[in-house]
Amino acid sequence: MIARRALIGPLIGLSAALALSATAPLSPVLAQEARPNPKVRIDTAEGPIVLELYADKAPKTVANYLKYVDRGLFDGATFYRASKPPGYAPNDYGVIQGGLQNDPKKVLPPVAHEPTTLTGIKHLNGTISMGRHAPGSAQADWFIVIGDQDYLDADPKDPKTTPGFAAFGRVVEGLDVAQKILGMPVDPKAGVGAMKGEMLVKPVRIAKVRRVG
């Protein structure tokens, strides 16, 4: 009986501590860690595409993208490019590119480059990534990867020479819409450089892009 009474005090104290921890608010650090990644919905003329943006892994790139979303700057933009290997007929491998095409009235300052060697986000099927020229020049054009394409990643052995592109999220709904856009006709004469022959004859209008959930 004495031994049992000796345990009562510690048990009551433990119960009280557990009850307090269950009701106490999370610290700011824990609350931030528990916050889910944002999702956005791209409403296109061919149907919606929903993205999960990896703010926990690519915070600068996601913050840049959400500035355009929250200001409505992507409303009325287009998917204007569909790239597949030459002569490849299926719509299960390639990229579609959308955005503002450097519209001087809408683009914001460039965002710092977050390579895949830093974020760990690989260019797998459904990944969304930023278009750019030199690293650190990305602004308001981005592409969705259809099929795994690791050549778009930074080279872990030499990231300075091969910095890759800044992946920052993935498609969670509507990958079939992206594949449909990939299969649309392109103009063999339109575009310059790597884009030549990859510009859509009829760009797909983006009605709006908004956060969801």
Side-chain angles (χ1 to χ4, degrees), residues 48-83:
I49 299 172
V50 179
L51 309 169
E52 178 183 356
L53 306 181
Y54 295 147
D56 56 339
K57 298 177 180 178
K60 295 178 182 178
T61 310
V62 170
N64 173 71
Y65 192 82
L66 289 176
K67 286 179 183 178
Y68 288 93
V69 172
D70 294 339
R71 299 179 190 184
L73 295 175
F74 286 141
D75 297 2
T78 62
F79 280 105
Y80 54 84
R81 181 189 182 197
S83 174

Short mmCIF file of all heavy atoms in Angstrom, two decimals, residues 48-83:
data_model
loop_
_atom_site.label_atom_id
_atom_site.label_comp_id
_atom_site.label_asym_id
_atom_site.label_seq_id
_atom_site.Cartn_x
_atom_site.Cartn_y
_atom_site.Cartn_z
N PRO A 48 -9.08 22.01 -65.22
CA PRO A 48 -8.24 22.48 -64.12
C PRO A 48 -7.02 21.60 -63.86
O PRO A 48 -7.04 20.39 -64.11
CB PRO A 48 -9.20 22.44 -62.92
CG PRO A 48 -10.12 21.30 -63.24
CD PRO A 48 -10.29 21.31 -64.74
N ILE A 49 -5.98 22.23 -63.36
CA ILE A 49 -4.77 21.54 -62.89
C ILE A 49 -4.51 22.04 -61.47
O ILE A 49 -4.43 23.25 -61.25
CB ILE A 49 -3.56 21.83 -63.78
CG1 ILE A 49 -3.81 21.36 -65.21
CG2 ILE A 49 -2.30 21.18 -63.22
CD1 ILE A 49 -2.72 21.78 -66.20
N VAL A 50 -4.41 21.13 -60.52
CA VAL A 50 -4.16 21.51 -59.13
C VAL A 50 -2.73 21.14 -58.76
O VAL A 50 -2.26 20.02 -59.04
CB VAL A 50 -5.15 20.82 -58.17
CG1 VAL A 50 -4.85 21.21 -56.72
CG2 VAL A 50 -6.59 21.19 -58.53
N LEU A 51 -2.03 22.07 -58.13
CA LEU A 51 -0.63 21.88 -57.75
C LEU A 51 -0.47 21.93 -56.24
O LEU A 51 -1.16 22.70 -55.56
CB LEU A 51 0.24 23.01 -58.33
CG LEU A 51 0.12 23.32 -59.83
CD1 LEU A 51 0.86 24.62 -60.12
CD2 LEU A 51 0.70 22.18 -60.65
N GLU A 52 0.43 21.11 -55.73
CA GLU A 52 0.93 21.29 -54.37
C GLU A 52 2.31 21.91 -54.49
O GLU A 52 3.17 21.39 -55.21
CB GLU A 52 1.03 19.96 -53.62
CG GLU A 52 1.59 20.12 -52.21
CD GLU A 52 1.78 18.81 -51.47
OE1 GLU A 52 1.40 17.75 -52.02
OE2 GLU A 52 2.32 18.84 -50.34
N LEU A 53 2.51 23.03 -53.80
CA LEU A 53 3.78 23.75 -53.87
C LEU A 53 4.61 23.44 -52.63
O LEU A 53 4.13 23.58 -51.50
CB LEU A 53 3.54 25.26 -53.99
CG LEU A 53 2.62 25.69 -55.13
CD1 LEU A 53 2.49 27.21 -55.15
CD2 LEU A 53 3.12 25.17 -56.47
N TYR A 54 5.85 23.03 -52.83
CA TYR A 54 6.69 22.58 -51.72
C TYR A 54 7.39 23.76 -51.04
O TYR A 54 8.60 23.94 -51.17
CB TYR A 54 7.70 21.56 -52.22
CG TYR A 54 7.10 20.28 -52.72
CD1 TYR A 54 7.69 19.58 -53.77
CD2 TYR A 54 5.92 19.77 -52.18
CE1 TYR A 54 7.14 18.39 -54.24
CE2 TYR A 54 5.36 18.60 -52.64
CZ TYR A 54 5.97 17.90 -53.67
OH TYR A 54 5.42 16.73 -54.14
N ALA A 55 6.62 24.52 -50.29
CA ALA A 55 7.17 25.66 -49.57
C ALA A 55 8.18 25.24 -48.53
O ALA A 55 9.08 26.02 -48.16
CB ALA A 55 6.04 26.46 -48.91
N ASP A 56 8.07 24.02 -48.05
CA ASP A 56 9.01 23.52 -47.05
C ASP A 56 10.37 23.21 -47.64
O ASP A 56 11.38 23.22 -46.92
CB ASP A 56 8.43 22.28 -46.36
CG ASP A 56 8.05 21.16 -47.34
OD1 ASP A 56 7.85 21.47 -48.54
OD2 ASP A 56 7.93 20.00 -46.91
N LYS A 57 10.44 22.97 -48.94
CA LYS A 57 11.70 22.59 -49.58
C LYS A 57 12.25 23.69 -50.49
O LYS A 57 13.47 23.80 -50.64
CB LYS A 57 11.50 21.31 -50.40
CG LYS A 57 11.10 20.10 -49.55
CD LYS A 57 10.86 18.89 -50.43
CE LYS A 57 10.45 17.68 -49.60
NZ LYS A 57 10.17 16.49 -50.45
N ALA A 58 11.38 24.45 -51.13
CA ALA A 58 11.81 25.51 -52.06
C ALA A 58 11.09 26.81 -51.70
O ALA A 58 10.27 27.32 -52.45
CB ALA A 58 11.50 25.11 -53.50
N PRO A 59 11.37 27.36 -50.51
CA PRO A 59 10.60 28.51 -50.02
C PRO A 59 10.68 29.76 -50.88
O PRO A 59 9.67 30.47 -51.05
CB PRO A 59 11.20 28.76 -48.63
CG PRO A 59 12.56 28.13 -48.67
CD PRO A 59 12.42 26.94 -49.56
N LYS A 60 11.84 30.05 -51.45
CA LYS A 60 11.98 31.27 -52.25
C LYS A 60 11.20 31.16 -53.56
O LYS A 60 10.53 32.10 -53.98
CB LYS A 60 13.45 31.56 -52.53
CG LYS A 60 14.26 31.87 -51.29
CD LYS A 60 15.72 32.09 -51.62
CE LYS A 60 16.54 32.37 -50.37
NZ LYS A 60 18.00 32.54 -50.69
N THR A 61 11.31 30.02 -54.20
CA THR A 61 10.62 29.82 -55.47
C THR A 61 9.11 29.81 -55.28
O THR A 61 8.37 30.41 -56.07
CB THR A 61 11.08 28.50 -56.13
OG1 THR A 61 12.51 28.46 -56.15
CG2 THR A 61 10.56 28.39 -57.55
N VAL A 62 8.64 29.14 -54.23
CA VAL A 62 7.20 29.10 -53.95
C VAL A 62 6.69 30.49 -53.60
O VAL A 62 5.62 30.90 -54.07
CB VAL A 62 6.90 28.09 -52.83
CG1 VAL A 62 5.45 28.23 -52.36
CG2 VAL A 62 7.17 26.67 -53.30
N ALA A 63 7.43 31.22 -52.78
CA ALA A 63 7.00 32.58 -52.42
C ALA A 63 6.88 33.45 -53.66
O ALA A 63 5.94 34.25 -53.79
CB ALA A 63 7.99 33.18 -51.43
N ASN A 64 7.82 33.32 -54.59
CA ASN A 64 7.76 34.08 -55.84
C ASN A 64 6.51 33.72 -56.64
O ASN A 64 5.78 34.60 -57.10
CB ASN A 64 9.01 33.79 -56.67
CG ASN A 64 8.97 34.40 -58.05
OD1 ASN A 64 9.06 35.60 -58.22
ND2 ASN A 64 8.80 33.56 -59.08
N TYR A 65 6.24 32.43 -56.78
CA TYR A 65 5.07 31.98 -57.55
C TYR A 65 3.78 32.48 -56.91
O TYR A 65 2.87 32.94 -57.61
CB TYR A 65 5.07 30.45 -57.62
CG TYR A 65 4.09 29.86 -58.60
CD1 TYR A 65 4.41 29.78 -59.95
CD2 TYR A 65 2.86 29.39 -58.18
CE1 TYR A 65 3.52 29.23 -60.87
CE2 TYR A 65 1.96 28.85 -59.09
CZ TYR A 65 2.29 28.77 -60.42
OH TYR A 65 1.39 28.23 -61.32
N LEU A 66 3.70 32.42 -55.59
CA LEU A 66 2.47 32.84 -54.91
C LEU A 66 2.25 34.35 -54.99
O LEU A 66 1.10 34.81 -54.89
CB LEU A 66 2.51 32.39 -53.45
CG LEU A 66 2.36 30.87 -53.24
CD1 LEU A 66 2.50 30.53 -51.77
CD2 LEU A 66 1.00 30.38 -53.78
N LYS A 67 3.30 35.13 -55.17
CA LYS A 67 3.11 36.57 -55.38
C LYS A 67 2.28 36.81 -56.64
O LYS A 67 1.36 37.64 -56.65
CB LYS A 67 4.46 37.28 -55.50
CG LYS A 67 5.22 37.44 -54.20
CD LYS A 67 6.55 38.13 -54.44
CE LYS A 67 7.37 38.24 -53.17
NZ LYS A 67 8.69 38.87 -53.42
N TYR A 68 2.61 36.08 -57.69
CA TYR A 68 1.84 36.21 -58.94
C TYR A 68 0.42 35.70 -58.75
O TYR A 68 -0.54 36.32 -59.24
CB TYR A 68 2.53 35.41 -60.05
CG TYR A 68 3.82 36.02 -60.55
CD1 TYR A 68 5.04 35.64 -60.01
CD2 TYR A 68 3.82 36.98 -61.56
CE1 TYR A 68 6.23 36.19 -60.46
CE2 TYR A 68 5.00 37.53 -62.03
CZ TYR A 68 6.21 37.14 -61.47
OH TYR A 68 7.38 37.70 -61.93
N VAL A 69 0.28 34.59 -58.04
CA VAL A 69 -1.05 34.01 -57.81
C VAL A 69 -1.92 34.98 -57.02
O VAL A 69 -3.06 35.29 -57.40
CB VAL A 69 -0.94 32.66 -57.07
CG1 VAL A 69 -2.32 32.15 -56.66
CG2 VAL A 69 -0.23 31.63 -57.94
N ASP A 70 -1.40 35.47 -55.90
CA ASP A 70 -2.19 36.32 -55.01
C ASP A 70 -2.53 37.67 -55.61
O ASP A 70 -3.52 38.30 -55.21
CB ASP A 70 -1.45 36.50 -53.68
CG ASP A 70 -1.33 35.21 -52.89
OD1 ASP A 70 -2.13 34.29 -53.14
OD2 ASP A 70 -0.43 35.10 -52.02
N ARG A 71 -1.74 38.12 -56.56
CA ARG A 71 -2.02 39.40 -57.22
C ARG A 71 -2.82 39.22 -58.51
O ARG A 71 -3.12 40.19 -59.20
CB ARG A 71 -0.71 40.14 -57.53
CG ARG A 71 0.10 40.46 -56.29
CD ARG A 71 1.41 41.17 -56.62
NE ARG A 71 2.28 41.26 -55.46
CZ ARG A 71 3.44 41.90 -55.43
NH1 ARG A 71 3.86 42.54 -56.54
NH2 ARG A 71 4.18 41.92 -54.33
N GLY A 72 -3.15 37.98 -58.83
CA GLY A 72 -3.94 37.71 -60.03
C GLY A 72 -3.19 37.95 -61.33
O GLY A 72 -3.81 38.10 -62.39
N LEU A 73 -1.86 37.92 -61.27
CA LEU A 73 -1.07 38.26 -62.46
C LEU A 73 -1.07 37.16 -63.51
O LEU A 73 -0.77 37.42 -64.67
CB LEU A 73 0.36 38.60 -62.04
CG LEU A 73 0.50 39.86 -61.17
CD1 LEU A 73 1.94 40.03 -60.71
CD2 LEU A 73 0.06 41.10 -61.95
N PHE A 74 -1.37 35.91 -63.10
CA PHE A 74 -1.42 34.82 -64.06
C PHE A 74 -2.78 34.75 -64.78
O PHE A 74 -2.92 33.96 -65.72
CB PHE A 74 -1.14 33.48 -63.38
CG PHE A 74 0.30 33.26 -63.02
CD1 PHE A 74 0.64 32.65 -61.82
CD2 PHE A 74 1.33 33.64 -63.87
CE1 PHE A 74 1.97 32.42 -61.48
CE2 PHE A 74 2.65 33.44 -63.54
CZ PHE A 74 2.98 32.82 -62.34
N ASP A 75 -3.76 35.51 -64.33
CA ASP A 75 -5.07 35.48 -64.97
C ASP A 75 -4.96 35.99 -66.41
O ASP A 75 -4.46 37.10 -66.64
CB ASP A 75 -6.07 36.35 -64.20
CG ASP A 75 -6.31 35.85 -62.77
OD1 ASP A 75 -5.67 34.87 -62.37
OD2 ASP A 75 -7.14 36.46 -62.07
N GLY A 76 -5.40 35.18 -67.34
CA GLY A 76 -5.30 35.56 -68.75
C GLY A 76 -4.00 35.15 -69.41
O GLY A 76 -3.83 35.39 -70.61
N ALA A 77 -3.10 34.54 -68.65
CA ALA A 77 -1.87 34.01 -69.25
C ALA A 77 -2.19 32.76 -70.07
O ALA A 77 -3.36 32.39 -70.21
CB ALA A 77 -0.84 33.70 -68.15
N THR A 78 -1.19 32.11 -70.60
CA THR A 78 -1.43 30.92 -71.43
C THR A 78 -0.38 29.84 -71.18
O THR A 78 0.72 30.11 -70.71
CB THR A 78 -1.40 31.26 -72.94
OG1 THR A 78 -0.09 31.75 -73.28
CG2 THR A 78 -2.47 32.26 -73.31
N PHE A 79 -0.76 28.62 -71.52
CA PHE A 79 0.22 27.58 -71.83
C PHE A 79 0.51 27.75 -73.31
O PHE A 79 -0.38 27.64 -74.15
CB PHE A 79 -0.34 26.19 -71.55
CG PHE A 79 -0.31 25.79 -70.11
CD1 PHE A 79 -1.46 25.78 -69.35
CD2 PHE A 79 0.89 25.43 -69.50
CE1 PHE A 79 -1.44 25.40 -68.01
CE2 PHE A 79 0.93 25.05 -68.16
CZ PHE A 79 -0.24 25.03 -67.41
N TYR A 80 1.74 28.03 -73.65
CA TYR A 80 2.08 28.39 -75.02
C TYR A 80 3.09 27.45 -75.68
O TYR A 80 3.35 27.54 -76.87
CB TYR A 80 2.64 29.82 -75.07
CG TYR A 80 3.80 30.07 -74.14
CD1 TYR A 80 5.11 29.75 -74.50
CD2 TYR A 80 3.58 30.62 -72.88
CE1 TYR A 80 6.17 29.97 -73.65
CE2 TYR A 80 4.64 30.85 -72.01
CZ TYR A 80 5.93 30.52 -72.40
OH TYR A 80 6.98 30.74 -71.53
N ARG A 81 3.64 26.53 -74.91
CA ARG A 81 4.69 25.65 -75.44
C ARG A 81 4.41 24.19 -75.07
O ARG A 81 4.01 23.89 -73.95
CB ARG A 81 6.04 26.06 -74.87
CG ARG A 81 7.22 25.23 -75.37
CD ARG A 81 8.47 25.57 -74.61
NE ARG A 81 9.65 24.84 -75.09
CZ ARG A 81 10.78 24.71 -74.40
NH1 ARG A 81 10.90 25.27 -73.22
NH2 ARG A 81 11.79 24.03 -74.91
N ALA A 82 4.62 23.29 -76.01
CA ALA A 82 4.53 21.85 -75.77
C ALA A 82 5.75 21.20 -76.40
O ALA A 82 5.93 21.24 -77.62
CB ALA A 82 3.24 21.28 -76.35
N SER A 83 6.60 20.61 -75.57
CA SER A 83 7.87 20.06 -76.05
C SER A 83 7.91 18.55 -75.86
O SER A 83 7.73 18.05 -74.74
CB SER A 83 9.03 20.71 -75.28
OG SER A 83 10.27 20.11 -75.62
#
